[in-house]
Amino acid sequence: MALNKPSQSALIFAGFGMIAGAIFHVVCLIGGPEWVAFAGAPEWAVESVRQGTWIGPAVTLLITALLIVWALYAFSGANKFRRLPFLKSFLGVTAFILIFRGLIFLPRLPNWKWDSPLYIFHGSLSFFVLALGLAYAFGLYGLLKEKQPA
């Protein structure tokens, strides 16, 4: 039986969200240390980019690769290509990480400075990451509910 349409759509949304995140990370590297700082990278990563050392860019590209892998798993779960190994486990772990990342923002919400571009970006990003995590969870739920062949 095929994955239901809402679950499939949720995983497609999640996959494209991960692709957007991967592209954003590469664009930040191209943009230089100011972009890396704006994106919220730790100071050591910003300094690495500023000084031209390899560690900051390498970690950023590693994160980019992780986001691409997560996108591939979302598209695989949406039946856009062959089923990848450990699909449900990957979707579950990804959902947990993204939901956790989105929720850690909530205690800061009452004191958030929505008049600053930096704060607007990071606040909006937290909500987007939470939405992606929920999309992964919803897609996984659909996969768990699909009928297995007898």
Side-chain angles (χ1 to χ4, degrees):
M1 185 170 149
L3 182 65
N4 66 51
K5 200 71 164 160
S7 294
Q8 184 180 35
S9 297
L11 287 171
I12 291 170
F13 166 74
F16 280 117
M18 290 295 110
I19 296 292
I23 291 169
F24 176 74
H25 278 78
V26 172
V27 167
C28 285
L29 277 180
I30 294 168
E34 293 77 23
W35 283 55
V36 173
F38 180 80
E43 189 56 38
W44 63 263
V46 176
E47 278 306 308
S48 173
V49 172
R50 186 172 285 121
Q51 294 173 8
T53 63
W54 65 271
I55 190 73
V59 170
T60 303
L61 292 175
L62 188 64
I63 293 168
T64 301
L66 177 66
L67 296 175
I68 291 169
V69 168
W70 283 351
L72 292 173
Y73 270 86
F75 293 135
S76 175
N79 297 321
K80 292 303 172 189
F81 59 88
R82 73 175 187 86
R83 209 157 181 112
L84 293 173
F86 309 107
L87 177 65
K88 293 174 185 173
S89 297
F90 262 83
L91 295 178
V93 168
T94 303
F96 175 80
I97 291 169
L98 295 175
I99 291 169
F100 180 76
R101 165 57 181 85
L103 290 177
I104 60 173
F105 169 75
L106 292 181
R108 298 177 177 177
L109 193 56
N111 300 320
W112 203 251
K113 301 172 187 165
W114 290 102
D115 57 346
S116 160
L118 182 66
Y119 279 81
I120 290 171
F121 170 75
H122 286 284
S124 301
L125 178 64
S126 291
F127 285 119
F128 182 63
V129 168
L130 179 59
L132 290 174
L134 293 172
Y136 272 93
F138 187 69
L140 174 60
Y141 177 77
L143 282 172
L144 293 173
K145 289 296 184 184
E146 72 181 352
K147 295 205 189 260
Q148 302 298 322

